[in-house]
């Protein structure tokens, strides 16, 4: 399997979530995802497990992880919405 899709309640992964400094992340590398995870940017019971699963998938040979909401799934697969994580 080359692509792993995670549908969740948010359209896009973000850092500084629910703060005035919130920043949506449309594209991430594994290195960036690890950095933000280590900084505690992703909630332990919410986005962190999804990011950990994405990192694991990509480190095991996967090519792309998409994280988005179900309504945006089609656009996210086309690369026009959501968050795409790659090596």
């Amino acid at each position: 399997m080359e692509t792993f899709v995670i549908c969740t309640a948010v359209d896009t992964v973000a850092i500084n979530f629910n703060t005035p400094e919130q920043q949506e992340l449309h594209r991430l590398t594994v290195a960036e995802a690890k950095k933000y995870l280590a900084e505690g940017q992703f909630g332990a019971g919410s986005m962190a497990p999804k990011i950990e699963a994405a990192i694991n998938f990509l480190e095991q040979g996967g090519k792309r992880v998409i994280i988005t909401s179900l309504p945006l799934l089609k656009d996210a697969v086309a690369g026009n919405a959501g968050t795409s994580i790659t090596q």
Side-chain angles (χ1 to χ4, degrees):
M1 183 165 65
E2 290 190 9
T3 303
F4 177 31
V5 176
I6 301 173
C7 285
T8 188
V10 297
D11 296 339
T12 307
V13 174
I15 56 172
N16 302 311
F17 188 70
N18 266 348
T19 72
E21 294 82 30
Q22 179 171 317
Q23 179 184 357
E24 293 184 347
L25 304 172
H26 298 283
R27 303 217 185 298
L28 276 173
T29 64
V30 169
E32 292 167 329
K34 285 181 175 182
K35 174 183 170 275
Y36 291 135
L37 188 63
E39 290 175 357
Q41 286 287 348
F42 307 121
S46 58
M47 191 55 69
K50 296 169 183 74
I51 297 296
E52 290 166 348
I55 292 167
N56 185 52
F57 175 78
L58 292 166
E59 288 183 336
Q60 298 301 315
K63 303 294 182 203
R64 179 180 175 211
V65 175
I66 298 166
I67 301 176
T68 194
S69 62
L70 188 56
L72 293 182
L73 181 57
K74 183 177 177 181
D75 288 335
V77 170
N80 299 318
T83 298
S84 181
I85 308 172
T86 58
Q87 284 293 344

